[in-house]
Amino acid sequence: MAGSAAMERKIINVTGKRQITIPQKFYNILGMGKEVECELTDNAIILRPFRNDGGFATEILKDLVAQGYSGNELVTEFEKQQKNIARAISDVSAEADDIAYGRKKGVGINDVFGEE
């Protein structure tokens, strides 16, 4: 993950049905939901939060079509916008890591909405 500091390690059990429980701390830090992407690489299994960006892609396309893009120009602009979203998600993820590991102070509800 971009911006990650020291690696944390935890030994977890595998049930008879080949199931595991992801430690709560890891689950929260990674912002996991109901689905996890599983990748087999070399001699390791990598689990990461599943991010279905299909919604973003559809919204980007709708917006670009509304702006009058079409053909190759639409494809070029779409690719540019997708890179911007990937960069923004990476930045947000890195900032979340910084807050989770205490390298940066987070904001509270009063910071966002003010005092009542």
Side-chain angles (χ1 to χ4, degrees), residues 21-41:
T21 300
I22 298 169
Q24 185 73 43
K25 180 179 179 181
F26 294 4
Y27 185 90
N28 291 340
I29 288 171
L30 294 173
M32 292 185 151
K34 292 187 178 200
E35 293 183 296
V36 176
E37 181 180 0
C38 181
E39 177 181 338
L40 180 62
T41 178

Side-chain angles (χ1 to χ4, degrees), residues 3-4 6 13 19 23 31 34 38-39 57 60 76-77 79 90 96 99:
S4 290
N13 294 321
Q19 297 172 330
K34 292 187 178 200
C38 181
E39 177 181 338
I60 292 170
T76 300
E77 192 62 26
E79 289 172 345
S90 178
I99 292 168

Side-chain angles (χ1 to χ4, degrees), residues 53 55-61 78-92:
D53 67 352
F56 282 131
T58 301
E59 293 305 313
I60 292 170
L61 282 171
F78 176 75
E79 289 172 345
K80 190 187 321 179
Q81 293 297 324
Q82 271 198 311
K83 286 179 187 173
N84 289 341
I85 287 178
R87 191 175 312 117
I89 290 171
S90 178
D91 290 348
V92 168

Side-chain angles (χ1 to χ4, degrees), residues 3 29 92-107:
I29 288 171
V92 168
S93 178
E95 184 175 13
D97 282 349
D98 288 343
I99 292 168
Y101 288 107
R103 296 186 296 258
K104 184 175 184 180
K105 186 178 182 312
V107 297

